[in-house]
Amino acid sequence: MKTALVLGAGGFIGGHMVKRLQSDGFWVRGVDLAAHEFEMSPADDFVIADLRDGALVAELMDLPFDEIYQFAADMGGAGYVFTGDHDAQIMQNSARINLNVLRAAQAKGLKNIFFSSSACVYPQENQQDPDAPDCREDSVYPAHPDSEYGWEKLFAERLYMAFNRQYAMNCRIGRYHNIFGPLGTWRGGREKVPAALCRKVAEAADGDAIEVWGDGRQTRSFLFIDECLEATLRLMRSDCAEPVNIGSTEMVSIDALARMIMEIAGKRLEIHHVEGAQGVRGRCSDNRLIREKLGWEPTAPLRSGLVSTYEWVASQVAQNHPERKPPAI
Ligand code: NAD
């Protein structure tokens, strides 16, 4: 039986990956600082551990794991990474995790690691035009990410590639572009825009206004979790050693995203634009490289993933406000 180690298994993507690997027949050890917030992890072995502790990380690698998935990071949406209030913490925590993981894996002879990088590595100058952002993989240098979160991801990418070169490891690097779906953080300050807008719509009554940060004309693309898992596994098992975008090319404005969620919810709401962290003006995955290297690109439209995401967030809102029943969709 094949074995996998999923780091950050208590989080959104890691939690889904545990289930996907198990359904593919893997025995899975999951590790996180905390248990999964929304469900009991089905991992065959779930260890609560702090990956900033190098000795602990080495202990966790006591099996000849076929695959290691490194999702653990100090992270959140725009309200967490763009305020400046968490910069030192984000850089220090995530860098320590990645340094520990690589050192321990190399020492134990574990070679196959997937690292979850981010679209936040791309230079801010290339993302000023909301209609034509440039996120080709090779546009990343000269580097100028718009957040310290992005700089740490860029450092970590280089670290994984350096271990590939010096120790003949097979690290694979996916640059995720806004992954969304059920079982993700939807409140508390770390939530990302699809979950935050689903929550605002679910909490609103017909005729209310929901708040959107900025002018709502900033653009992004969003990838549903199932597609993300598929691309991640394909990349992990490929011979593609360079960083690759994992995202969708269906670019929408934040206002359009909000309106799509309102339509799914069957609610007529106003949009009220307010000051708030926004990041770059435009960002969209460029999928030419992943098509060429893996013969893959996402197939499902944004709306289909939003339907199940809205349904799940609405059910969470209803549990927290029993007077608001999830709408039938
Ligand atoms: P998440 O916050 O839900 O999951 C990250 C997990 O890491 C959390 O459960 C957290 O407890 C754990 N963690 C943090 N510090 C730890 C430590 N010291 N020891 C052990 N566990 C620790 O985030 P996610 O959305 O699942 O993202 C997974 C990865 O993908 C992250 O590295 C993130 O930067 C990257 N990524 C995600 C997106 C996205 O849209 N979700 C986009 C780009 C990149």
Side-chain angles (χ1 to χ4, degrees):
M1 186 184 235
K2 289 205 166 189
T3 54
L5 178 63
V6 178
L7 305 172
F12 167 53
I13 301 174
H16 282 281
M17 183 56 93
V18 168
K19 289 186 274 192
R20 172 68 198 260
L21 287 165
Q22 285 183 318
S23 72
D24 290 353
F26 277 71
W27 182 95
V28 182
R29 171 178 291 164
V31 182
D32 205 293
L33 269 182
H36 197 289
E37 192 181 348
F38 304 112
E39 63 178 13
M40 174 86 106
S41 172
D44 299 277
D45 182 26
F46 191 91
V47 184
I48 303 281
D50 188 339
L51 297 165
R52 290 170 298 183
D53 180 336
L56 251 180
V57 176
E59 278 175 35
L60 291 164
M61 295 196 189
D62 61 348
L63 296 175
F65 290 106
D66 295 292
E67 297 178 355
I68 298 175
Y69 292 86
Q70 196 330 57
F71 298 115
D74 194 349
M75 89 93 125
Y80 187 72
V81 300
F82 293 123
T83 59
D85 295 342
H86 312 102
D87 286 352
Q89 176 191 329
I90 287 171
M91 295 188 89
Q92 148 128 325
N93 288 343
S94 296
R96 282 169 69 188
I97 295 170
N98 288 313
L99 288 161
N100 287 341
V101 166
L102 277 165
R103 191 178 48 182
Q106 187 267 325
K108 304 270 172 153
L110 303 177
K111 290 184 177 292
N112 304 324
I113 308 181
F114 172 83
F115 171 61
S116 47
S117 184
S118 166
C120 291
V121 294
Y122 288 112
Q124 40 194 293
E125 291 79 4
N126 297 352
Q127 302 171 86
Q128 303 294 355
D129 180 351
D131 298 319
D134 179 5
C135 292
R136 278 172 303 124
E137 284 82 350
D138 60 6
S139 70
V140 76
Y141 296 108
H144 194 194
D146 69 339
S147 65
E148 301 302 351
Y149 168 78
W151 278 106
E152 191 283 327
K153 288 291 189 193
L154 203 52
F155 164 74
E157 284 191 358
R158 300 192 68 90
L159 191 65
Y160 282 87
M161 289 192 287
F163 272 72
N164 278 351
R165 280 195 305 276
Q166 191 173 340
Y167 300 112
M169 290 176 69
N170 304 316
C171 301
R172 300 289 174 256
I173 300 168
R175 290 182 183 152
Y176 287 158
H177 288 245
N178 292 309
I179 314 304
F180 75 101
L183 301 170
T185 303
W186 58 277
R187 62 172 177 182
R190 287 187 188 242
E191 64 276 24
K192 306 189 87 185
V193 66
L197 289 176
C198 285
R199 183 197 70 230
K200 291 175 187 183
V201 170
E203 286 177 340
D206 254 342
D208 284 356
I210 60 162
E211 290 189 345
V212 165
W213 292 352
D215 63 9
R217 280 181 274 172
Q218 64 273 35
T219 54
R220 294 292 184 276
S221 69
F222 301 92
L223 184 70
F224 189 58
I225 182 68
D226 292 358
E227 307 257 28
C228 166
L229 300 180
E230 181 62 29
T232 300
L233 294 176
R234 285 182 187 224
L235 177 57
M236 178 65 150
R237 294 160 194 173
S238 76
D239 59 3
C240 178
E242 60 197 295
V244 186
N245 288 329
I246 295 183
S248 159
T249 52
E250 186 180 344
M251 187 169 76
V252 291
S253 70
I254 301 303
D255 274 358
L257 179 72
R259 277 192 231 100
M260 206 181 277
I261 296 169
M262 290 176 206
E263 178 264 312
I264 288 167
K267 294 189 183 185
R268 282 166 190 263
L269 307 171
E270 303 289 319
I271 294 179
H272 184 203
H273 294 115
V274 296
E275 290 262 312
Q278 293 176 57
V280 293
R281 289 298 291 163
R283 177 172 287 157
C284 184
S285 187
D286 184 314
N287 285 353
R288 284 173 283 187
L289 189 64
I290 198 163
R291 266 200 311 268
E292 178 197 321
K293 295 285 179 184
L294 306 183
W296 178 90
E297 63 184 323
T299 49
L302 169 62
R303 192 185 181 286
S304 68
L306 280 178
V307 170
S308 58
T309 306
Y310 179 77
E311 197 169 58
W312 181 79
V313 173
S315 72
Q316 293 291 306
V317 168
Q319 280 172 31
N320 286 270
H321 304 277
E323 72 281 6
R324 291 185 202 278
K325 295 231 174 346
I329 48 176

